[in-house]
Amino acid sequence: MQARKRYLLVSICGIIVLLLYLTSHRPNQDGDFHTLLSVSRGFLDHDDLKDESDLQPAPRHRRETETRFKGANRTQCRMETCFNYTKCVHGFKVHIYPSQEKISTSYSKILSVIRDSKYYTSDPAKACVFILSIDTLDRDALNTLGVESYVKFIQMQLRMLPLWNNGQNHILFNLYSGTWPDYTEDLGFDPGQAILAKASIPDSSFRPNFDISLPLFHKELAAKGGEKGSLSANTIPPGRKYMLVFKGKRYLAGIGSDTRNSLYHIHNSKDIILLTTCKHGKGWKALSDERCPVDNANYDM
């Protein structure tokens, strides 16, 4: 009985001593913590506690994020949802990526006009909007009329751009998309959240207050200036030799063929000149009609 009391008394005394020791040696926030850091300096730097570089998404998650705006989701883009206004604190400044490869004459003119404007900046940190140096004007893979601007593997090149960010605050220029005979809205790559400055864009694809509708222009169109306009208050119609001029493809079948095949009705070889060619696509000869030889000859003159 006496032995049990002695063991109990010793145990209580041991617990009291342990509590007193822990209380008197409690680590404080600035003292013992920094002592611990100094001991482990070779393994963990204090700045590492604030470094989140290892917390980036996994590659699979990044791919899912990059494709989030494909299909139906991309059509929902508006300025308030797919444009980052915080990048515009320096005003409306436009940055063009450094040129890496040959581009078409038409795209070169577009980039030259932007570089010569007051909105251009060579500093990407000050840019509100970004323009690719990759030529995206012609996305018709079957174009055989000498246009050299169809660029392959654009999706791969976009992934390598550090500022791409799924196209946010980027503007892509495009004149031709898809290919014969359907000419669907297929650019051959995912534009993500980029604004499309595009010709012949259908209502079903156009995003109001976001995309930009462009006219289809010829590569020989002057980038700047031109002749002084001849229209004045007393000269209607204007005193020019030609009232309407068009030169392009006939589209023997598919989207646009009905309109293009009817242009010859108003062609008069005087003030209305409408020249079309049937040479488009690998199988154009199988679809050619009786007018194709004449049309092709006039087009090639």
Side-chain angles (χ1 to χ4, degrees):
M1 185 69 180
Q2 295 297 328
R4 294 179 61 186
K5 290 183 178 180
R6 286 197 298 270
Y7 289 137
L8 180 60
L9 180 61
V10 171
S11 299
I12 294 175
C13 290
I15 294 174
I16 293 174
V17 172
L18 180 61
L19 291 175
L20 291 175
Y21 176 82
L22 294 176
T23 303
S24 61
H25 290 78
R26 182 175 57 188
N28 59 71
Q29 185 174 358
D30 299 321
D32 293 351
F33 178 70
H34 291 288
T35 301
L36 177 62
L37 281 177
S38 63
V39 173
S40 59
R41 181 66 62 181
F43 303 94
L44 178 66
D45 195 32
H46 186 268
D47 293 336
D48 291 338
L49 297 174
K50 301 178 181 179
D51 185 11
E52 299 180 353
S53 59
D54 294 333
L55 301 180
Q56 299 300 321
R60 178 180 178 183
H61 178 72
R62 287 199 300 268
R63 289 193 296 269
E64 293 174 351
T65 301
E66 291 171 355
T67 58
R68 185 181 305 166
F69 283 86
K70 278 187 176 180
N73 288 335
R74 190 174 63 81
T75 63
Q76 300 174 5
C77 268
R78 298 296 185 269
M79 294 299 291
E80 61 271 18
T81 59
C82 295
F83 192 88
N84 185 2
Y85 285 97
T86 62
K87 289 185 174 294
C88 305
V89 293
H90 299 284
F92 185 76
K93 294 295 182 179
V94 183
H95 175 73
I96 301 175
Y97 285 85
S99 299
Q100 299 177 347
E101 57 187 41
K102 183 180 179 181
I103 59 177
S104 65
T105 302
S106 296
Y107 198 55
S108 178
K109 291 178 180 179
I110 293 176
L111 299 187
S112 296
V113 169
I114 296 175
R115 288 193 182 99
D116 293 340
S117 72
K118 64 179 181 181
Y119 304 105
Y120 173 73
T121 176
S122 59
D123 185 357
K126 296 181 180 180
C128 171
V129 173
F130 299 87
I131 307 295
L132 298 179
S133 60
I134 305 171
D135 193 340
T136 57
L137 285 186
D138 183 9
R139 302 308 300 159
D140 180 1
L142 296 182
N143 201 326
T144 60
L145 294 181
V147 180
E148 71 281 11
S149 59
Y150 185 83
V151 181
K152 299 180 180 179
F153 311 115
I154 286 185
Q155 192 68 56
M156 182 185 302
Q157 297 183 56
L158 294 179
R159 291 181 184 275
M160 298 174 63
L161 298 178
L163 301 176
W164 173 243
N165 193 25
N166 197 32
Q168 193 175 81
N169 289 55
H170 284 66
I171 298 179
L172 302 180
F173 291 89
N174 176 253
L175 298 182
Y176 314 98
S177 65
T179 192
W180 182 88
D182 297 323
Y183 287 95
T184 57
E185 293 299 304
D186 181 16
L187 296 175
F189 64 93
D190 178 20
Q193 301 179 42
I195 297 171
L196 293 182
K198 180 172 169 49
S200 304
I201 184 170
D203 292 339
S204 58
S205 300
F206 184 77
R207 295 168 293 184
N209 301 319
F210 190 75
D211 289 330
I212 303 170
S213 180
L214 290 181
L216 186 63
F217 57 89
H218 196 274
K219 65 179 180 180
E220 296 181 4
L221 179 69
K224 297 180 181 179
E227 297 180 2
K228 183 179 179 181
S230 58
L231 181 64
S232 64
N234 298 322
T235 56
I236 299 178
R240 289 188 173 183
K241 181 178 179 180
Y242 300 107
M243 182 177 71
L244 177 63
V245 175
F246 173 79
K247 186 176 184 180
K249 305 166 189 174
R250 269 264 308 267
Y251 298 157
L252 297 174
I255 297 176
S257 59
D258 292 341
T259 302
R260 297 291 181 94
N261 289 332
S262 301
L263 293 180
Y264 76 97
H265 288 293
I266 57 177
H267 172 80
N268 60 16
S269 299
K270 297 178 181 179
D271 61 335
I272 299 179
I273 308 297
L274 302 174
L275 303 176
T276 58
T277 178
C278 299
K279 298 178 182 179
H280 182 57
K282 297 180 180 180
W284 70 270
K285 291 183 179 180
L287 299 173
S288 61
D289 53 31
E290 64 277 2
R291 292 201 330 272
C292 281
V294 177
D295 288 347
N296 292 342
N298 291 335
Y299 183 92
D300 295 334
M301 288 179 59

